[in-house]
Amino acid sequence: MGGTPRSSIGHILPGAGFFAVGLWHLFNHVRLFSLRPDSYVAPVWFPVTGARYLEPALVIVASAVELVMEMFVDHSTFLPFDADGSIPSDRLHNHEHAIICLALIVYAGAAVHLDRACAPGRRALCLLLVAVVFAQELLVFHFHSTTHGGVEGQFHWILEVVVAACLGTALLGVGFPRSFAVSLARSACVMFHGVWLAVIGAMVWVPSMVPKGCSLVREDGRDTVRCHDKASLHRARALVNLQFGWYLSFMTVFVLAIYLYVCNRYPAEQVYAQLVPKAGDEDEEDHLELEAQKCGVPRDIGGEVHVRGFAPLEIEV
């Protein structure tokens, strides 16, 4: 059995997309926190100089392409519905995958609109939309119309755990917008989500990667992995668990390496401290007040430390 290229590519390409977004977010969160740790507020997405909405635009385009692939490409019939308007049984899983793509399109489109409208609370709303995407994905995989059994089922069960972690960190981001740890964990979870999707696409539908004692078979109009005996199934499931541990360890080391590199590349911006004037030294006090006004930094009466030339940075997108 040669496997289904569409099934393999349909996991590897979205996996690459999730990994790219997670890496982009990880780099920018670490950079923002390294530059200004005291005024760090986690954005939901990151504008690009000269193309502010590049990130959400790419999410919309990629999700729309995947939606079209799921609904219209590589099927015996072009239309995703029967003549009477019902959904064919062998196309249910395509409609379920398309729902996830639709949720991503809604999130990215809403993020652009909320930013253009300068809507208050748009950061929290965008994070809630991100949570909706992962909640939708989690429900789709948990109540999937396709019965994922055996080796494939083990891969998808672990995928549900990863998606649940993405959902949890998105919700935590709503309540803790200044927590760098939450942002770092969310970015790492999205990256690992992409890695695990790619692993599923390779290990389940590439014949040379199928575990020993198992093979690809055709069931209910789709290819899946079936093992020849219980011992082979037990070994294959154990290999899935081992792969999860290996990739998780590699991802941890990779995230730490990125963190150390970015912190070294973008050190914290220098903060200038101004000494409190002596009591009764009105001339010096007036001089400091004038200097603070020139720098655009308000001074409180007992202010001991002032940032010179920079106001606290709070990005809300």
Side-chain angles (χ1 to χ4, degrees), residues 130-136 138 162-172 189:
V130 172
V132 168
V133 172
F134 290 124
Q136 180 75 69
L138 181 61
V162 176
V163 175
C166 294
L167 171 60
T169 52
L171 292 175
L172 284 174
C189 286

Side-chain angles (χ1 to χ4, degrees), residues 174-196:
V174 177
F176 302 95
R178 295 182 179 273
S179 173
F180 171 70
V182 171
S183 301
L184 183 72
R186 182 169 64 251
S187 302
C189 286
V190 173
M191 287 174 60
F192 193 78
H193 182 356
V195 169
W196 198 246

Side-chain angles (χ1 to χ4, degrees), residues 51-109:
R52 179 174 178 81
Y53 301 111
L54 179 62
E55 179 187 327
L58 289 177
V59 171
I60 292 174
V61 171
S63 300
V65 170
E66 180 63 20
L67 189 149
V68 171
M69 295 285 288
E70 288 287 350
M71 299 298 284
F72 302 106
V73 178
D74 196 23
H75 298 291
S76 56
T77 58
F78 178 74
L79 295 177
F81 300 96
D82 281 334
D84 59 357
S86 61
I87 301 176
S89 298
D90 62 343
R91 300 288 293 275
L92 285 171
H93 66 283
N94 298 115
H95 285 263
E96 291 166 345
H97 296 165
I99 288 177
I100 301 174
C101 299
L102 181 61
L104 283 167
I105 293 173
V106 170
Y107 149 69

